[in-house]
Structures are given as structure tokens and as C-alpha cells.
Amino acid sequence: MYYRFFAITFFLLLPYLLNAQAYDLVIKNGRVIDGTGNPWIYADVAIQNGRIVRVGRIASTNAKRIIDATGLMVAPGFIDVHTHVEGDLEVQPGAPNFVYDGVTTLITGNCGDSHTNLRTYFDTLRAKGISVNLASLVGHNAVRLRVMKTAFRDPTAREQAEMETLVEQAMKDGAVGISTGLIYTPGTYAHTPEIISLAKMASRYGGVYASHIRNEGQNVKQAIEEAILISREAHIPVEISHFKVASKPLWGKSVETIELVEAARREGLDVTVDQYPYTASSTSLASIIPSWALADGDSMVLTRFHNPATRTKIRTEMLETLAKNVRKNYEYAVVSYYGADTTFNGLSISRINQKLGRKNTAETEADLVMDMMERCHMEHVQMVYHTMSETDVETIMRYSNTMIASDAGVSVFGSGMPHPRGYGTNARVLGRYVRERKVIPLEEAVRRMTSLPAQRFQLTDRGLLRPGYAADIILFNEKIVSDRATYEQPHAYTTGINWVLVNGTPIIDNGKHTGQRSGQLLMGPGYEK
């Protein structure tokens, strides 16, 4: 009898006991977008020990802290699936350009560029502490460079085995997959069978194949087909990076490139894509040069530049590429950062050519590109290329399997003229494409930035607001959230994202960066301690 009395009493008091539970932090009165794509609901979110422990109405609590989210959206922290932060987080562990934009997790190692010793890299960041979570791919270019340098040939059997061993070790060290950058040296010299073999190794450990495909312009369809072939042959999920159509004659063809992806999915191949919400890309000045001319090291490249016949061949191919893309000159190519002469920053190749008093022709501009590379001693020159159409950007964004990605590193505030995507990618989607242009609904946009990337990279406790999940949470005002960075004034942080929590710790607290370093290193499925 007493047992029944106490059992009934406990059952009746249970809601009050739950509400009285001590929490580290409770977010109250917000409209919760849980990351699934479902409509928002009014709910409170309770956090304990860096984890979400309750989502629902919490009437009273003795939480250590309460954040009043009245008038704000509460969503999972954004997962940026395509970043380049090698060397950046060691210098700027707070990653302010990312966290002000609502990003709580970065996937780095993209476009074939990564550390080859990931265990050491992770240990370094773990010891230093970082404000965001980080996962990494292992880069094919980095692996090939280590084994073959910049050789323009197929690997020997021994070299292929060495590369496979490096990929295997990286997967054991925690890589979430393998990436390629097939327009860059030395990855551009690799034929498909080489990549398939390495992708098979990543697949063995549950990894993903993320690819900056071989061509995003005239031959974009063939390049997509190559990525799909690698998925088919290596039995590996594929993420096609910064999906685009970067050639004027093909503008509007994104419907057809998306259909290639959908056809692969109907076949049973797990292929998805990501994009940044801009009509300009950003990569190296060297990408304008024919890839064969960049082989075998800097000294050989300079030798080719100095040889009249070879220089003519390089120039001719550059002009042919311009003609194929219906461009008369290099006005579309704008310098982001040129260390040899920072007065070039923000100017197009055409404008620099004019500034230097050179003849106003595409031929002299092509020569200028080679001269600029030589003048900076073959160091990296970052560019912004205006090559895409707004129609294609919106078409790709409407595709349900498109994630959002910045393709950026940790920006040094005030340095150079970087692509604005490094500051405002996610806010631009929420402000321009959701609120203003109504390309996709708000809840769908959040899904593309949270649960969809978490699913793709097997981040099993991220991307949703659910009990048991990591407390990576953002609070934003959907009426005012905006990107402020522009091509002309790129150094400007996002506005309208008031709070950003990483593993339960506020990194952005009422609009201010706290400097806390609560980020974690996220290991892939093949990780061995």
C-alpha cells in the first residue's frame, strides 16, 4: 500500500522534479528549428555538461544561466562542410569570421589539400584549444605531393602503394574521408584509376570522397561523371564541392548538372553537393595557367615562362580558354592578395595591366599573369573570379541535396581583399535567399546547414536539437540576419546572430566573442586511438 502511494506521488511530482533539475544553461522562449526541416515550434532548450538534455517547455529551473530567446530563432550550430583552415586555427583559434556567421563545426582538408600527419595536427589543436569543432579529410594532392612531388605522370606500383598507406593511416588517425582538387597540381596529373584506388582505401574505413572536380566550366558534365564513376567503383559516398557552372556559354545548364547527380542517386549511389551563395569563386592565380606548365617544381615552371616557344604555347592556351568562355580579357579575375605588391589587391588583371601602362590586349594580360607569378617567386596568389550566374546559384540552392559551404579559411581581419564568403556565407543564405528572395524556406535552409552535413560526414551527435546531442546551438533574428561583407569591402562580420554555443559554452555571447575554446576534434568512423 505504501509502495503504491509513493509510486503515485512520484509519478505526479515527476514533471516538477524535471523542471527543478539543475541545468548549466537554459534557452527559454525561443522558436526552435530542430534541423530536420520541420516547422519551428516554441520550446525551451536545457543544457548540461555540454549536451542537450531537454527540449520542450521548462516552467521553472535553477539553471546556472538562462538566456531569454524571445523573438529569436534557436537552431543547431551550422556545419561548414568545405573549409581550408590548415595553419589558420593555430594562429587564430577563435575563428571569429566563422562563429559570427553561426558556424560551430568545420570540415577542413578539402580540394586535395590537408596535413598528411593528421594525428599530429589534431594533437596540436587539442593542446592549443579552438573555439569551433573540427573534422578533416585527407587530401589527395598532399599525399601525391609527399610521394611523387609534382611529377606529371602516373604513379609506379610502389608509389601507388605508398599513397594508399598514407590514406589508410590518415583514416586511422581520424580523417572523415579523402578529398581531391583535380584542377590543382599535382592532383590534376592523376588519372581516374589512381583516385579510385585511394578512394577504396578511404571507403574501407567508412570515409567520404569530397571532390573539387576536374572541370567546372566547359567540361563540367564530364567532370561530374568522373566523380560518379569513382563513387560507383570505390563504393564510397561522394560530395561534389562548390557545385557550379563556371562558363558563360553554359549558364543555365545547372538543371542538367543536377540531373546527373539525381540520376546517380536513382542508381543507388550516394552523391550530394555543396555550394557557396555567390556568383564569384576564389582560388589561385596559377589556376589560369595550363596545368602541364606547372609540373616538376617552380624552377621548371620559370624555365617554361622564359622559353619563348613554350611561353607562346602557354599564352595561346590561355587565350583559347578565354575564347571558349566568351571572355575578351581578364577583367573577371580580381586579385585578392598579392604579397609582392599589395596595391594590386582588389584590382582585376585587366586593371593592373592598364595601371602598369602595358598594351591593352588579352595577350599582354596573359603575359602579366606569368610575370606576376615570377615576381612573387611562385608564391600563392589568391584571386576572386566572377564566372557564375545568379540563376544557376539559385537553381542549385533549390536542389534538396545541396549543403551550404564557405570554401574559406580563418580570415585575418583587414588583410587583403578576400572573397566575402569567408565572413557571410550562412547569413547571406538566411538574409538574401530565404528572407528576401524566398528561394528556399527558413527551416529547409537550416537543414542544409545542420543535419544534412552532419549526416554526410557521419557526425552522429551533431546537427539536430535533440536530447543527447552536443549543445552546438545558435540564436538568431531571422528578420535582420544579414551578411555585411561585400567584394568591395569584404572585412565585415555577420549581424543578427546573437548567440553561438559550442558544446554548451557561449562563444558568441549577446553579439560578442568570448574567446572561449570549447571546440572538439571530431574523428571519422575509422579512427583508432
Side-chain angles (χ1 to χ4, degrees):
M1 179 176 178
Y2 288 108
Y3 172 80
R4 290 182 60 193
F5 172 77
F6 284 117
I8 293 171
T9 302
F10 177 79
F11 178 78
L12 293 173
L13 291 175
L14 182 59
Y16 302 96
L17 293 172
L18 287 172
N19 282 325
Q21 182 178 344
Y23 301 117
D24 291 331
L25 190 151
V26 171
I27 302 167
K28 292 184 64 66
N29 306 318
R31 285 177 287 169
V32 170
I33 302 176
D34 66 4
T36 63
N38 289 337
W40 62 263
I41 60 169
Y42 280 108
D44 307 324
V45 180
I47 299 165
Q48 181 72 26
N49 297 324
R51 296 271 161 181
I52 298 168
V53 293
R54 191 174 176 204
V55 178
R57 282 299 190 186
I58 303 174
S60 62
T61 178
N62 59 346
K64 297 176 184 176
R65 182 176 182 187
I66 296 175
I67 296 176
D68 184 2
T70 299
L72 300 177
M73 294 292 182
V74 182
F78 298 148
I79 300 170
D80 192 331
V81 299
H82 192 104
T83 69
H84 298 274
V85 297
E86 287 76 13
D88 291 356
L89 289 174
E90 296 92 325
V91 179
Q92 294 192 91
N97 56 305
F98 285 111
V99 292
Y100 276 114
D101 201 37
V103 177
T104 57
T105 298
L106 307 176
I107 310 295
T108 194
N110 283 284
C111 294
D113 187 20
S114 75
H115 288 280
T116 52
N117 189 332
L118 285 180
R119 191 172 295 270
T120 297
Y121 176 53
F122 291 151
D123 286 346
T124 299
L125 294 180
R126 191 177 290 111
K128 188 174 189 66
I130 52 178
S131 294
V132 291
N133 306 308
L134 181 79
S136 182
L137 298 146
V138 59
H140 166 241
N141 283 8
V143 168
R144 200 179 208 267
L145 186 65
R146 180 166 167 180
V147 174
M148 300 176 61
K149 300 190 183 303
T150 56
F152 187 3
R153 59 174 174 78
D154 289 333
T156 65
R158 180 177 177 179
E159 288 168 337
Q160 182 72 33
E162 286 183 38
M163 289 193 288
E164 290 175 9
T165 297
L166 286 172
V167 171
E168 180 175 32
Q169 187 59 54
M171 296 303 296
K172 291 179 179 179
D173 288 345
V176 292
I178 184 172
S179 74
T180 54
L182 298 178
I183 72 164
Y184 303 118
T185 57
T188 188
Y189 307 137
H191 291 106
T192 309
E194 172 186 330
I195 302 166
I196 290 172
S197 293
L198 297 176
K200 284 181 177 179
M201 182 60 72
S203 177
R204 184 183 303 175
Y205 290 88
V208 173
Y209 173 66
S211 183
H212 181 150
I213 55 178
R214 206 174 290 273
N215 189 285
E216 296 173 325
Q218 287 289 303
N219 297 315
V220 62
K221 291 183 180 180
Q222 295 92 317
I224 293 169
E225 291 286 7
E226 181 185 32
I228 292 169
L229 174 64
I230 291 166
S231 175
R232 184 182 298 118
E233 295 297 319
H235 305 288
I236 191 169
V238 167
E239 176 75 5
I240 300 179
S241 301
H242 36 63
F243 202 69
K244 64 171 73 74
V245 177
S247 176
K248 266 188 176 181
L250 296 182
W251 283 358
K253 298 292 187 180
S254 54
V255 173
E256 297 175 20
T257 59
I258 288 170
E259 174 53 28
L260 292 175
V261 175
E262 273 298 282
R265 293 189 64 82
R266 289 193 295 270
E267 182 186 334
L269 302 176
D270 186 1
V271 183
T272 52
V273 306
D274 60 65
Q275 75 167 154
Y276 41 78
Y278 298 87
T279 56
S281 63
S282 182
T283 189
S284 67
L285 180 64
S287 66
I288 295 177
I289 303 291
S291 61
W292 61 264
L294 301 173
D296 305 317
D298 292 347
S299 62
M300 277 302 302
V301 176
L302 292 175
T303 297
R304 294 184 185 107
F305 286 176
H306 294 161
N307 181 287
T310 309
R311 188 181 184 91
T312 297
K313 182 180 179 184
I314 294 170
R315 185 192 309 114
T316 298
E317 291 191 20
M318 292 174 68
L319 297 178
E320 288 174 351
T321 300
L322 274 181
K324 287 178 182 177
N325 289 297
V326 195
R327 296 193 181 277
K328 296 179 180 179
N329 54 33
Y330 288 98
E331 182 63 33
Y332 76 97
V334 178
V335 174
S336 171
Y337 184 79
Y338 185 60
D341 187 344
T342 56
T343 66
F344 290 1
N345 295 349
L347 301 179
S348 68
I349 296 298
S350 298
R351 289 281 306 281
I352 294 169
N353 193 60
Q354 295 167 14
K355 177 180 178 178
L356 296 177
R358 298 163 68 123
K359 191 175 180 180
N360 188 23
T361 66
E363 289 82 356
T364 56
E365 292 179 12
D367 279 323
L368 174 60
V369 170
M370 289 183 270
D371 293 343
M372 287 176 62
M373 290 180 62
E374 179 173 1
R375 183 180 172 189
C376 72
H377 307 291
M378 304 302 294
E379 292 183 359
H380 182 85
V381 179
Q382 191 69 21
M383 301 289 293
V384 173
Y385 295 111
H386 295 269
T387 59
M388 292 168 271
S389 76
E390 182 67 29
T391 298
D392 285 321
V393 169
E394 294 190 3
T395 298
I396 293 167
M397 191 174 293
R398 289 189 184 95
Y399 178 49
S400 62
N401 293 314
T402 298
M403 300 165 217
I404 305 302
S406 68
D407 195 6
V410 181
S411 299
V412 179
F413 196 90
S415 177
M417 294 290 287
H419 196 299
R421 67 193 185 189
Y423 286 92
T425 288
N426 297 287
R428 185 173 177 83
V429 172
L430 298 175
R432 176 177 173 81
Y433 291 100
V434 171
R435 185 178 63 242
E436 296 173 8
R437 299 185 65 83
K438 304 187 187 315
V439 174
I440 53 176
L442 176 60
E443 292 86 349
E444 175 65 6
V446 170
R447 183 186 73 86
R448 309 285 194 82
M449 303 175 189
T450 58
S451 66
L452 184 59
Q455 175 181 298
R456 163 50 73 231
F457 289 95
Q458 302 181 72
L459 309 179
T460 55
D461 63 347
R462 316 260 163 187
L464 293 170
L465 294 186
R466 285 182 177 172
Y469 275 58
D472 295 341
I473 303 173
I474 67 169
L475 283 69
F476 66 94
N477 186 332
E478 89 283 6
K479 295 179 181 178
I480 65 171
V481 62
S482 301
D483 63 312
R484 295 171 56 239
T486 64
Y487 295 109
E488 295 76 23
Q489 295 182 318
H491 296 286
Y493 294 125
T494 283
T495 57
I497 298 179
N498 307 66
W499 276 270
V500 177
L501 279 63
V502 177
N503 297 304
T505 298
I507 304 300
I508 302 298
D509 192 329
N510 199 21
K512 295 182 179 179
H513 199 301
T514 65
Q516 294 295 310
R517 302 182 185 181
S518 58
Q520 297 178 2
L521 281 305
L522 308 180
M523 301 294 105
Y527 175 61
E528 296 180 3
K529 293 184 179 179

